Amino acid sequence: MKGIRLDSVQEFDVLSSTQVIIKEALQKLGYPEAMYELLKEPVRFLTVRIPVRMDDGSVRVFTGYRAQHNDAVGPTKGGVRFHPDVTEDEVKALSIWMTLKAGIVDLPYGGAKGGIVVNPTELSFRELERLSRGYVRAISQIVGPTKDIPAPDIATNSQIMAWMLDEYSRIREHDSPGFITGKPIVLGGSHVRETATARGVTIMIREAAKKLGIPLAGARVVVQGFGNAGSYLAKFMHDAGAKVVGISDVYGGLYDPEGLDIDALLEKRDSFGTVTRLFKNTITNRELLQLPCDILVPAAVENQITAENAPNIQAKIIVEAANGPTTREATRILTERGVFIVPDVLASAGGVTVSYFEWVQNNQGYYWSEEEVLAKLEQVLVRAFSNVVAMAESRGVDMRLAAYMVGVRKTAEASRYRGWV
Ligand code: GLU
């Protein structure tokens, strides 16, 4: 058996730690080793070099990736992130997580992910446009509305989706709104897509709090990260009557045991979602995670909650809005301590769910109201939450393994029916 040894896995290696859980999930579901061999890596992985003419006339060449994990269920789907720390393994792991998300909310997709190694804050608006268009030219052969559908992720937004759509439509010489999701509404975007991840996390928090008998009104919430997911989430929690006592961005965190004025912070933040630099008394991201609170929402990057800080976390509920914020060892420690974890692949599935709604609307050429989208999102996510809880309870496994089991099953079944395994 060509297995991977559980004890040989590095805590911080996102790809191999994901592979370990995929393997465990497939074993528990009764699939043969060959299924793991198929699903442990993306079926397709493209590395591209993107030359960009900078404003000063010089040329910089950026590295980009696109990973397509598995297309047995249907076209692959997943965002594109712009971040200086993007690596091949990270993009591969993220594409596997997209398969799991799509499976958990029962979408007709497999997972994909893209990334460009870049610090977008160093680029001008026009340089960013040229980079976005260059990326689409570089990956155009393997993407498309019935092949692989990109979307926003860290540091990419509806403007970037609009440039990417425009570039793709020029290459194909026809209007193809279903090529990408997270578009501006006027270009075929969907109501609620912009806030979808945060809306989904809000639903998960509500369901988890209900399950644990913690009233949301007055509950103390800490949110790490003030980007698309974190900032809207802080707002929704604040509006729901919870007390958002801590928030943070890449530069640091803010803490007020009486609750922060979220509306004022949203007003002041810049286009990259940073706000804490305007304050003198900040705390570190590390301190933020260990604040006294009821609900902790990591909404930033990977590997924030580790074996080192897991014993000091005071929250009763952790809802993972970010992808991969908690390591396997930390999950074990927290689960043993009785902390209820809503894992990333479930908690952050609201984004791809509304992306799916956007794609369906594009394919139909018929557009839904905000109320319709919200009602559909609610229905899908409440069902997903209860499916994962039911799996965890019936099989006696932690919430992350349960989510992987629910998430991987559809792709594994589709691969089996197609005769691949
Ligand atoms: N980037 C988001 C995620 O990680 C959304 C992907 C999508 O909408 O396709 O779930």
Side-chain angles (χ1 to χ4, degrees):
M1 200 166 90
K2 216 178 123 234
I4 40 175
R5 291 204 357 255
L6 302 197
D7 57 358
S8 67
V9 167
Q10 287 280 316
E11 258 272 88
F12 293 92
D13 180 340
V14 280
L15 180 59
S16 34
S17 33
T18 298
Q19 289 171 330
V20 172
I21 317 177
I22 290 280
K23 189 180 174 78
E24 230 177 315
L26 289 170
Q27 272 170 354
K28 284 224 179 295
L29 292 168
Y31 285 101
E33 180 69 16
M35 190 64 82
Y36 170 69
E37 286 300 315
L38 175 67
L39 299 182
K40 70 178 186 183
E41 289 260 347
V43 289
R44 202 167 292 109
F45 189 83
L46 185 65
T47 303
V48 295
R49 299 277 289 155
I50 311 157
V52 174
R53 178 76 58 190
M54 306 303 278
D55 292 344
D56 68 3
S58 68
V59 172
R60 264 181 75 183
V61 184
F62 295 89
T63 299
Y65 305 109
R66 186 75 187 166
Q68 299 174 346
H69 175 237
N70 186 285
D71 51 7
V73 168
T76 53
K77 180 92 192 78
V80 183
R81 62 172 55 178
F82 287 3
H83 198 279
D85 301 332
V86 165
T87 64
E88 248 183 75
D89 275 3
E90 182 196 31
V91 174
K92 286 180 178 175
L94 285 159
S95 75
I96 298 176
W97 296 339
M98 288 311 302
T99 292
L100 299 174
K101 289 188 205 191
I104 287 170
V105 287
D106 201 11
L107 308 179
Y109 294 139
K113 198 75 171 201
I116 300 178
V117 187
V118 56
N119 180 352
T121 61
E122 288 170 0
L123 264 53
S124 73
F125 192 68
R126 288 297 159 220
E127 288 166 347
L128 211 52
E129 174 179 354
R130 291 193 282 271
L131 176 64
S132 306
R133 290 181 183 278
Y135 179 69
V136 170
R137 285 195 300 276
I139 65 164
S140 71
Q141 288 177 341
I142 64 161
V143 290
T146 55
K147 276 187 182 172
D148 177 16
I149 305 126
D153 197 75
I154 292 178
T156 52
N157 55 20
S158 59
Q159 174 62 76
I160 291 174
M161 298 305 109
W163 290 324
M164 289 186 173
L165 170 73
D166 186 64
E167 194 64 28
Y168 184 82
S169 305
R170 286 184 196 200
I171 294 169
R172 292 281 178 269
E173 295 188 336
H174 58 70
D175 186 41
S176 9
F179 152 66
I180 202 161
T181 59
K183 301 179 291 289
I185 304 251
V186 290
L187 291 180
S190 176
H191 287 293
V192 189
R193 178 60 189 89
E194 168 101 4
T195 56
T197 308
R199 292 245 180 234
V201 177
T202 307
I203 294 171
M204 294 298 151
I205 292 176
R206 191 194 64 207
E207 294 299 300
K210 212 191 314 172
K211 188 170 164 47
L212 269 70
I214 299 173
L216 257 195
R220 294 161 306 162
V221 183
V222 168
V223 184
Q224 185 202 29
F226 214 54
N228 174 275
S231 63
Y232 284 119
L233 177 74
K235 167 96 181 120
F236 294 154
M237 285 290 101
H238 184 68
D239 293 351
K243 235 188 326 181
V244 182
V245 294
I247 63 117
S248 73
D249 57 32
V250 280
Y251 302 106
L254 300 173
Y255 174 56
D256 183 345
E258 297 312 316
L260 295 159
D261 184 348
I262 297 301
D263 291 319
L265 293 173
L266 287 169
E267 274 290 292
K268 292 193 182 118
R269 100 197 128 137
D270 65 22
S271 61
F272 294 100
T274 63
V275 66
T276 64
R277 272 198 293 189
L278 303 173
F279 294 82
K280 250 167 98 193
N281 290 324
T282 57
I283 56 173
T284 63
N285 262 288
R286 200 188 144 85
E287 289 164 336
L288 181 100
L289 296 170
Q290 302 178 15
L291 287 174
C293 66
D294 302 297
I295 300 160
L296 173 63
V297 185
V301 287
E302 290 103 45
N303 297 326
Q304 296 302 297
I305 304 176
T306 64
E308 196 203 327
N309 61 4
N312 305 327
I313 286 188
Q314 304 191 45
K316 301 180 192 80
I317 297 175
I318 296 179
V319 180
E320 299 177 343
N323 290 306
T326 313
T327 65
R328 278 181 64 240
E329 185 54 13
T331 302
R332 193 188 58 73
I333 296 169
L334 292 162
T335 307
E336 261 173 36
R337 288 185 47 217
V339 179
F340 186 77
I341 301 178
V342 184
D344 51 2
V345 286
L346 169 62
S348 70
V352 71
T353 303
V354 179
S355 273
Y356 165 64
F357 296 157
E358 180 173 335
W359 180 76
V360 169
Q361 292 171 76
N362 296 149
N363 293 347
Q364 293 180 332
Y366 177 72
Y367 288 85
W368 310 343
S369 69
E370 184 177 347
E371 293 71 35
E372 272 176 283
V373 178
L374 280 173
K376 288 187 166 73
L377 177 65
E378 165 86 22
Q379 203 188 13
V380 168
L381 292 183
V382 170
R383 196 189 311 129
F385 179 87
S386 75
N387 285 346
V388 173
V389 169
M391 179 67 90
E393 290 175 353
S394 67
R395 303 296 294 263
V397 296
D398 68 51
M399 282 288 284
R400 192 176 313 282
L401 181 54
Y404 271 59
M405 288 168 73
V406 174
V408 81
R409 198 166 40 185
K410 190 170 181 179
T411 288
E413 270 309 274
S415 301
R416 195 177 62 79
Y417 272 119
R418 283 182 188 269
W420 293 354
V421 174

